[in-house]
């Protein structure tokens, strides 16, 4: 009997051991390029219930194909998933509150609801097939204002009555059928009325009837015909005397690109309609005002904004200086503008607007006079490169009003870094609230409007913490303490924090803590799988080196064990350009992070650089590539190689480089412009000619090809392809609607014409810009590793 039990125990232990062993991670390209669910899925989209008793988040703790909505209860500390029925009855996470936060109005599935915060009771306001959107409380909080079919409506909270405030109509106003349309018809009518008394009498009677009928008609909003323009951002002023709106006129002359899809269910090639190319005619904008009392419409005028007619300096490069009589100039004229706002003071006395020039070289923060449409400039930021930075780049940015209704707040790079400023709209006094060589992210006012909450990288460029500072300035209080990235979502009463945190080798998890400096935090989720946890993922060392112009460059260093070191090195180039990857939190390039671990396991030293153009380092770093992509962003990679050679025993003949998108572009420039530095490079979905990329991104950095061909030739790899010496791998998805496959095709033809031989192109028929299929990821990275093994490890 004992022997039988021992055999059972031995059998059980064997099964357990086999199970544990099966869960241990084995480093291979196939394993790291699997569907990411093998690692475990981190919590995302965190928000609080309106009463502050629950934290909601998307999560996947079972390895299901899709994430589910979970909630954490602060009362009993439990985590539970919500059923479909529970989710259906849940209020939207978005919406607008009344001033004392006792009610919230929100849209869900195209209908509008009113929520009582104390009781949790939800009242359906609309139930239609059309979509009502953008609900908010009127200034007196007696009505809900919302948009339906491109027009503004109000719903009276006390009696449920609905009033239409605008009547926007497409096309042009049709002519009155009773009135003559041509000069000939006008002449005939005039003569007939002169000749015949009966016609005159009947007209007088009809005119009197029309006057009476008009008096009997209810007051309706003015018909506003928008021709071929789209109406957007319709807002009711707090005094309800004005309605502001924006008219967007899409270009009729811009040609969209076509992305062919060769792999289809029907077996026929299908065309995917994609974007325009940089320099194409863009949408233009007008900012309109409807005076309800006067029943008139007029438009804001930018002519009084200082610098609106300024000519950009880069155009000076195209003047013909040898013969002054033939000098070419571009006439100064009012530039097209983009409008955001208005943002109203709480008392309704002021309307704040943010206006940007279409070339993104100027931003004006201004006050709008509703009665005249005039804009009074409060703050003007000019940048010969381009306006950008945290809290600045898009729309109105982070702007708003302080409690006194006289001071506004906004972010500006005036100091060289993005910081919070306040400005008194009456006196013009401007004050910088946060100061230092660091960036400020996501500032928000406290509920009492006495403090700003914000995130910054003050401690270290690659570390982010949550802070609190008085709106009058002073010393900021650091609230979070864990080294890494602390993404904060405040509870409705601001007493607690839902904290999404990660570290360099630890994916994101959810914590909860009190909103007090140094308060301890409680971990709520444990997402990573046992298999993921079984491998000792590297905590990359963050190092610095000096660039040739004296700038300090930050990088992540992956070091192999001394016994495995092969004296070869690989430079990884992150994508996007304006992105930070040298930091102390889990990288969005997690596959590349794991591949860099794989390379280090194989003996390679890997350096991942936050080169010029990366985010997190201020304005100059951001704009140092202006009109010269492939300049300092490339030389930073070369200087990184020098650092590895001098400090980490790397053989200068054994250097490889790889990266995707912008990283693919830099890889091409490295292989073409620095062929004696890099022996092999893998360019993934690379931009090969910036004149073929999109407008929004490219025109900021290189202007437009028609006006600045110098910048485009200087910055596009295809013009340097003759410099290729080393081994080049190009990988590109055929369905890429961001960096088009055409980029790879055009470069391929150029390399053929140049007679280059040491290169290859791998195409992925089922993939777009970001790959989805594990088989594609695996194939791509096996090719990259093979490239390095054959061309730099065996040298």
């Amino acid at each position: 009997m004992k022997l039988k039990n021992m055999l059972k125990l031995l059998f059980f232990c064997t099964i357990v051991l086999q199970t544990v062993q099966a869960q241990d991670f084995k480093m291979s390209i196939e394993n790291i390029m699997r569907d990411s669910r093998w690692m475990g899925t981190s919590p995302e989209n965190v928000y609080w219930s309106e009463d502050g008793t629950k934290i909601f988040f998307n999560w996947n703790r079972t390895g299901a194909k899709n994430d589910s909505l979970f909630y954490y209860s602060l009362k009993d500390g439990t985590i539970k998933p919500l059923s479909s029925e529970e989710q259906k009855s849940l209020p939207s996470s978005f919406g607008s509150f009344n001033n004392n936060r006792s009610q919230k109005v929100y849209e869900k599935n195209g209908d509008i609801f009113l929520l009582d915060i104390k009781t949790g009771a939800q009242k359906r306001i609309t139930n239609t097939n059309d979509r009502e959107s953008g609900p908010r409380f009127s200034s007196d909080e007696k009505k809900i204002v919302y948009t339906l079919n491109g027009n503004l409506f109000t719903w009276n909270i006390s009696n449920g009555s609905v009033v239409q405030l605008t009547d926007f109509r497409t096309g042009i106003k049709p002519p009155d059928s009773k009135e003559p349309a041509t000069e000939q018809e006008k002449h005939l009518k005039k003569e007939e009325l002169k000749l015949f008394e009966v016609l005159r009498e009947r007209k007088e009677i009809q005119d009197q009837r029309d006057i009476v009928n008009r008096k009997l008609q209810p007051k309706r909003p003015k018909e506003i015909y928008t021709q071929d323009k789209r109406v957007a951002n319709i807002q009711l002023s707090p005094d309800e005397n004005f309605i502001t709106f924006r008219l967007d006129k899409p270009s009729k002359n811009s040609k969209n690109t076509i992305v062919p899809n060769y792999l289809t269910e029907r077996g026929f090639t299908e065309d995917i309609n994609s974007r325009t190319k940089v320099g194409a005619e863009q949408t233009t904008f007008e900012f309109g005002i409807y005076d309800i009392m006067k029943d008139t419409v007029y438009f804001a005028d930018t002519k009084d904004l200082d610098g609106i007619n300024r000519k950009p300096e880069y155009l000076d490069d195209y003047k013909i200086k040898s013969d002054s009589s033939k000098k070419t100039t571009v006439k100064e004229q009012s530039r097209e503008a983009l409008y955001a706002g208005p943002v109203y003071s709480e008392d309704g006395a002021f309307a704040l607007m943010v206006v940007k020039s279409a070339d993104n070289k100027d931003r004006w923060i201004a006050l709008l006079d509703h009665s005249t449409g005039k804009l009074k400039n409060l703050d003007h930021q000019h940048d010969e490169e381009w306006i950008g930075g945290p809290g600045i780049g898009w729309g109105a940015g982070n702007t708003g009003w302080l409690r006194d209704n006289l001071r506004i707040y906004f972010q500006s790079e005036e100091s060289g870094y993005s910081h919070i400023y306040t400005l008194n709209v009456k006196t013009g006094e401007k004050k910088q609230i946060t100061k230092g060589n660091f960036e400020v992210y996501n500032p928000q006012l406290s509920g009492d409007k006495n403090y700003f909450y914000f995130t910054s990288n003050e401690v270290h460029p690659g570390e982010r913490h949550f802070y609190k500072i008085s709106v009058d300035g002073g010393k900021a209080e650091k609230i979070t303490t864990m080294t890494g990235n602390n993404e904060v979502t405040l509870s409705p009463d601001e007493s607690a924090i839902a904290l999404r945190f990660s570290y360099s080798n630890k994916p994101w998890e959810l914590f909860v803590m009190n909103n007090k400096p140094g308060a301890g935090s409680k971990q709520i989720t444990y997402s990573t799988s046992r298999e993921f946890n079984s491998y000792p993922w590297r905590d990359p060392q963050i190092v610095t080196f000096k660039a040739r112009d004296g700038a300090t460059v930050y990088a992540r260093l992956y070091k192999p064990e001394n016994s495995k070191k092969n004296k070869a090195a690989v430079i990884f180039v992150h994508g996007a350009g304006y992105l930070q990857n040298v930091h102390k939190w889990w990288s969005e390039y997690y596959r590349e992070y794991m591949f860099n671990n794989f390379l280090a396991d194989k003996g390679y030293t890997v350096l991942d650089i936050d080169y010029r153009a990366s985010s997190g380092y201020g304005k100059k770093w951001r704009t140092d590539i202006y009109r010269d992509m492939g300049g300092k962003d490339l030389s930073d990679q070369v200087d990184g190689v020098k650092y590895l050679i001098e400090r980490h025993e790397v053989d200068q003949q054994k250097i490889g480089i790889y990266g995707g998108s912008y990283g693919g572009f830099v890889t091409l420039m490295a292989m073409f412009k620095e062929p004696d530095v890099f022996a092999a490079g893998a360019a993934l979905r690379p931009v090969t000619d910036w004149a073929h990329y999109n407008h929004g991104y490219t025109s900021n950095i290189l202007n437009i090809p028609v006006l600045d061909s110098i910048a485009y030739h200087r910055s596009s790899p295809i013009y340097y392809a003759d410099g290729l010496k080393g081994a080049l791998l190009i990988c590109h998805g055929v369905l890429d609607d961001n960096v088009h496959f055409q980029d790879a095709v055009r470069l391929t033809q150029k390399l053929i014409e140049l007679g280059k031989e040491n290169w290859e192109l791998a195409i992925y028929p089922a993939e777009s810009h970001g790959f989805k299929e594990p088989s594609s990821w695996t194939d791509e990275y096996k090719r990259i590793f093979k490239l390095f093994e054959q061309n730099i490890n065996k040298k």
Side-chain angles (χ1 to χ4, degrees), residues 98-131:
N98 61 356
N99 286 330
N100 64 10
R101 295 185 70 90
S102 63
Q103 291 181 307
K104 171 183 169 180
V105 62
Y106 62 91
E107 174 210 338
K108 189 171 183 179
N109 299 323
D111 291 319
I112 295 174
F113 296 81
L114 185 62
L115 173 69
D116 185 283
I117 304 299
K118 186 175 181 180
T119 66
Q122 300 178 58
K123 182 174 184 178
R124 180 187 284 272
I125 295 175
T126 64
N127 188 3
T128 68
N129 288 330
D130 292 321
R131 183 194 172 205

Side-chain angles (χ1 to χ4, degrees), residues 402 407 420 422 431-435 450-452 468-477:
L402 298 186
R407 288 179 293 167
I420 304 170
T422 61
K431 185 175 184 179
Q432 185 176 348
I433 303 302
T434 55
K435 300 175 182 178
N450 290 326
Y451 297 93
F452 288 112
K468 176 182 179 181
I469 192 172
S470 167
V471 296
D472 296 316
K475 183 174 175 56
E477 287 186 294

Side-chain angles (χ1 to χ4, degrees), residues 398-404 407-411 419-423 431-435 440-456 465-479 488 490 494 515:
N398 289 319
T399 55
W401 291 89
L402 298 186
R403 191 175 185 176
D404 57 17
R407 288 179 293 167
I408 61 170
Y409 67 87
F410 58 94
Q411 283 183 262
H419 281 290
I420 304 170
Y421 291 76
T422 61
L423 187 147
K431 185 175 184 179
Q432 185 176 348
I433 303 302
T434 55
K435 300 175 182 178
V440 167
Y441 304 90
N442 307 316
Q444 63 181 92
L445 275 177
S446 59
D448 59 14
K449 296 191 175 183
N450 290 326
Y451 297 93
F452 288 112
Y453 290 108
F454 65 92
T455 298
S456 87
H465 285 282
F466 190 62
Y467 294 80
K468 176 182 179 181
I469 192 172
S470 167
V471 296
D472 296 316
K475 183 174 175 56
E477 287 186 294
K478 180 169 162 285
I479 296 172
V488 167
L490 279 171
E494 299 175 10
N515 184 16

Side-chain angles (χ1 to χ4, degrees), residues 377-404:
N377 181 58
L378 298 173
D379 184 80
H380 176 205
Q381 182 181 343
H382 172 72
D383 195 328
E384 275 300 324
E385 289 84 31
W386 72 96
I387 300 292
I392 301 168
W394 300 101
N398 289 319
T399 55
W401 291 89
L402 298 186
R403 191 175 185 176
D404 57 17

Side-chain angles (χ1 to χ4, degrees), residues 81-93:
L82 278 79
S83 67
S84 298
E85 285 301 314
E86 288 173 318
Q87 291 187 52
K88 190 175 179 180
S89 63
L90 199 66
S92 169
S93 59

Side-chain angles (χ1 to χ4, degrees), residues 4 83 135 152 271 290 322 386 527 537 612 662 674:
K4 187 175 182 180
S83 67
L152 204 63
D271 289 339
Y290 171 35
S322 59
W386 72 96
S527 306
W537 299 101
R612 242 61 75 93
Y662 196 101
E674 299 286 351

Side-chain angles (χ1 to χ4, degrees), residues 381-599:
Q381 182 181 343
H382 172 72
D383 195 328
E384 275 300 324
E385 289 84 31
W386 72 96
I387 300 292
I392 301 168
W394 300 101
N398 289 319
T399 55
W401 291 89
L402 298 186
R403 191 175 185 176
D404 57 17
N405 292 312
L406 290 175
R407 288 179 293 167
I408 61 170
Y409 67 87
F410 58 94
Q411 283 183 262
S412 171
E413 286 186 316
E414 182 178 328
S415 70
Y417 291 81
S418 182
H419 281 290
I420 304 170
Y421 291 76
T422 61
L423 187 147
N424 188 302
V425 300
K426 283 197 171 180
T427 67
E429 180 186 0
K430 183 164 69 172
K431 185 175 184 179
Q432 185 176 348
I433 303 302
T434 55
K435 300 175 182 178
N437 294 342
F438 58 88
E439 302 273 56
V440 167
Y441 304 90
N442 307 316
Q444 63 181 92
L445 275 177
S446 59
D448 59 14
K449 296 191 175 183
N450 290 326
Y451 297 93
F452 288 112
Y453 290 108
F454 65 92
T455 298
S456 87
N457 61 353
E458 179 178 4
V459 171
H460 183 278
E463 192 172 334
R464 292 192 186 176
H465 285 282
F466 190 62
Y467 294 80
K468 176 182 179 181
I469 192 172
S470 167
V471 296
D472 296 316
K475 183 174 175 56
E477 287 186 294
K478 180 169 162 285
I479 296 172
T480 53
T481 60
M482 293 189 291
T483 300
N485 192 343
N486 297 267
E487 286 187 1
V488 167
T489 305
L490 279 171
S491 64
D493 65 0
E494 299 175 10
S495 66
I497 285 171
L499 179 66
R500 213 172 77 101
F501 170 80
S502 77
Y503 185 65
S504 302
N505 57 359
K506 296 177 181 178
W508 297 93
E509 297 289 4
L510 187 59
F511 296 72
V512 65
M513 64 178 286
N514 290 326
N515 184 16
K516 294 180 180 179
S521 58
K522 176 184 177 182
Q523 187 168 345
I524 295 173
T525 61
Y526 295 84
S527 306
T528 50
S529 67
R530 187 198 178 284
E531 183 183 4
F532 178 86
N533 295 334
S534 69
Y535 178 82
W537 299 101
R538 286 170 175 80
D539 177 4
Q541 180 184 354
I542 294 184
V543 299
T544 61
F545 60 87
K546 287 294 183 182
R548 61 194 63 185
D549 62 356
T552 299
V553 183
Y554 284 80
R556 271 183 165 190
L557 179 66
Y558 299 77
K559 296 173 67 175
E561 295 178 10
N562 287 332
S563 61
K564 294 182 178 179
K565 189 178 292 186
N566 60 14
K567 293 194 174 182
V570 170
I571 304 294
F572 168 63
V573 191
H574 70 69
Y578 192 62
L579 178 145
Q580 187 175 9
N581 204 46
V582 179
H583 49 59
K584 300 178 184 180
W585 64 86
W586 187 247
S587 175
E588 62 183 274
Y589 286 95
Y590 61 89
R591 283 189 174 89
E592 289 77 4
Y593 164 79
M594 291 188 287
F595 183 63
N596 292 340
N597 272 267
F598 171 82
L599 289 173

